Amino acid sequence: MASKLASKSGKRPNILLFMSDNQSADFLGSYGNSEVKTPALNALAKGGTKFTNAYCVNAMCSPCRASVLTGLMPSAHGIHTWLDDGLEAQWPDRWNAIGEFNALPDQLKAAGYTTALIGKYHLGKAWQPPSAFDHWVTFPHGHTVSFYGNRMIENDENYVFEGHSVDFFTDKTVQFLSDQEGSDTPFFAFVPFNGPYGHWPAIRGRAANEFAALYDETPLSSVPREGVNQRVIDRYTQRVLEAGQAPHERFAGPLRLPNDTDSLRNYFSQTSLIDKGVGRILAQLEASGFAENTIVIYTADHGFSLGNHGIWGHGLAAWPSSMLRPSYNIPLIMRGPGIAAATSDKLVSQLDLANTLLDAVGAPGLGGPRTDSRAIDLDNPRHAHRGALFMEQEESRAIRTADNLYIERFTHPGVDPLKSELYDLHSDPEERINLCDPQNCGDDAQMVMANLSTQLQDYFRQHSDPKRDLWAGGTPKSNITNSSFWQAAWGDKWGCTF
């Protein structure tokens, strides 16, 4: 099985895939943020290809992880929001939310790779590994309440680790790499850290980690200082009504965090802790003799707003959801044999990761009529890759091109109308002027909007599964963020189907 990126030895390359949790490209040093200290990631970017226009498909944890591994949109794999592990008792036994699909680790295992997950899973019951993973180190939570004192799962054992979870996952990855020494079998190590995270209570107050002092005097000039967006207030109000009382503290964060400078600095410090972990793992890669024959990727599950447009957190921190750049623009750095040292501004989707890696190692790609994972030409990363990117967040769908961002909302007689949005990315790169507003919507804007709407609808017609397409009355796996909205459209009996 030939590899496109084989080293001088002719061996198939190993793969080391880092994924952070809730991190936009804006908050890494290699992407121009001078306040966040990330020397290891800066060095990784300098030696590989940095994509400045990489985007996730959704702004919540579980859907993005599922899309990266399967090459499918949420409307095809059926996971539309974070899987609430508070509902685990309702999940099927040993439930793997993407188990019905052929995914990246399945393909690599079939191609003879040793496969490992070391980090946050958040795609079903974590107590036993899915069959695609030979080595399994994780914890049973989606929401990180604290970085400390977490129950950890290591293959057939589980126990409490009192230290920081990022340090734990770093230690276990270093150990895994060491254990591969002397083996002729290539490996795929998926390392999804559960930081920097950005939500209370995990980042409430000054950090307890070793990098806290590094940020005590940071002015936070890279964090936008805007008033809270009305749509954030509307979303919190919905949650109050749903809960019938004050909702969980994590939902108050979008209202309180923007002015909590200790928490903002805490978030920065968690990024530096991850950077240290990446540095330690890359040092072990070198010490174990794997550095020249390993593709290393650093990315995030999705972006994160730190006050941008008056929004803190996920895209679903606002109602209707935010589809703007900070929630979707993710870091994507790739280094390895045959990968150019370059910066690419071409549009790339996180969907593309699976088939890019499979193509690079000479393994069969993910297929099927709904799959949309397109292999990036790593020999020429500046070559145009996609003409448009597509995103969805339950009631909102978007298409992003080099020229425009168009956001369309679900419409139905049973629900209140929601406004569409159109932005000209040349004259308005910060996405401030909605050309769909009556005072801005001239003939040219209407023509652009009609064209993009047609592309958007055609795309989802091709890449959605009607069984899982919310806009067609399909149902989600496990929970949904705003079930009352969808029940108003599709009836009280509408709901989860596994």
Side-chain angles (χ1 to χ4, degrees), residues 146-163:
S146 173
F147 290 113
Y148 301 91
N150 285 289
R151 181 162 294 279
M152 298 298 186
I153 301 163
E154 185 174 4
N155 296 313
D156 296 327
E157 301 179 63
N158 70 83
Y159 50 88
V160 173
F161 178 74
E162 296 297 343

Side-chain angles (χ1 to χ4, degrees), residues 261-279:
T261 54
D262 280 344
S263 292
L264 292 166
R265 294 182 176 115
N266 191 327
Y267 179 86
F268 280 25
S269 75
Q270 306 302 338
T271 300
S272 289
L273 188 68
I274 289 171
D275 182 81
K276 178 187 176 184
V278 170

Side-chain angles (χ1 to χ4, degrees), residues 204-262:
R204 182 171 53 194
R206 187 177 184 271
N209 67 48
E210 63 193 273
F211 293 99
L214 182 64
Y215 293 101
D216 279 342
E217 304 302 323
T218 300
L220 301 172
S221 58
S222 61
V223 177
R225 313 299 289 175
E226 300 185 38
V228 175
N229 193 306
Q230 179 63 45
R231 287 160 56 182
V232 174
I233 298 171
D234 292 345
R235 184 68 186 114
Y236 185 71
T237 301
Q238 281 184 346
R239 286 178 167 137
V240 172
L241 295 174
E242 290 166 0
Q245 55 185 340
H248 194 283
E249 179 187 46
R250 65 176 175 262
F251 296 133
L255 297 178
R256 300 180 63 183
L257 273 165
N259 292 310
D260 191 311
T261 54
D262 280 344

Side-chain angles (χ1 to χ4, degrees), residues 145-190:
V145 175
S146 173
F147 290 113
Y148 301 91
N150 285 289
R151 181 162 294 279
M152 298 298 186
I153 301 163
E154 185 174 4
N155 296 313
D156 296 327
E157 301 179 63
N158 70 83
Y159 50 88
V160 173
F161 178 74
E162 296 297 343
H164 198 293
S165 51
V166 169
D167 288 334
F168 175 83
F169 295 132
T170 297
D171 291 343
K172 294 301 177 180
T173 306
V174 167
Q175 179 183 330
F176 173 79
L177 295 177
S178 179
D179 290 345
Q180 306 313 301
E181 292 177 16
S183 173
D184 290 329
T185 303
F187 62 79
F188 166 57
F190 181 28

Side-chain angles (χ1 to χ4, degrees), residues 297-449:
I297 307 99
Y298 184 89
T299 190
D301 55 357
H302 55 79
F304 202 70
S305 295
L306 266 70
N308 312 78
H309 299 271
I311 298 168
W312 175 280
H314 300 104
L316 276 167
W319 180 260
S321 302
S322 171
M323 307 293 285
L324 303 176
R325 185 194 60 80
S327 296
Y328 285 81
N329 186 202
I330 53 174
L332 178 59
I333 301 165
M334 301 185 71
R335 189 190 76 185
I339 299 176
T343 297
S344 174
D345 64 356
K346 302 308 177 187
L347 293 173
V348 172
S349 170
Q350 66 180 180
L351 292 170
D352 300 326
L353 271 171
N355 277 352
T356 297
L357 294 173
L358 291 168
D359 181 65
V361 304
L366 301 178
R370 298 187 181 101
T371 304
D372 187 29
S373 183
R374 308 181 191 182
I376 301 166
D377 182 359
L378 295 176
D379 293 328
N380 186 12
R382 293 194 181 98
H383 184 267
H385 181 63
R386 285 179 180 260
L389 299 175
F390 298 87
M391 296 152 277
E392 61 174 320
Q393 193 78 65
E394 299 189 14
E395 82 299 330
S396 301
R397 288 177 172 173
I399 174 174
R400 177 181 286 272
T401 69
D403 301 318
N404 297 102
L405 169 64
Y406 171 64
I407 304 164
E408 192 162 280
R409 313 291 185 189
F410 174 75
T411 58
H412 189 276
V415 300
D416 292 335
L418 300 171
K419 294 181 179 179
S420 295
E421 299 171 48
L422 174 66
Y423 300 96
D424 183 322
L425 299 179
H426 295 292
S427 64
D428 180 28
E430 293 191 4
E431 303 162 2
R432 300 281 180 180
I433 303 169
N434 180 10
L435 298 177
C436 289
D437 284 344
Q439 64 269 31
N440 300 320
C441 194
D443 291 344
D444 289 346
Q446 290 185 41
M447 289 178 61
V448 171
M449 186 168 56

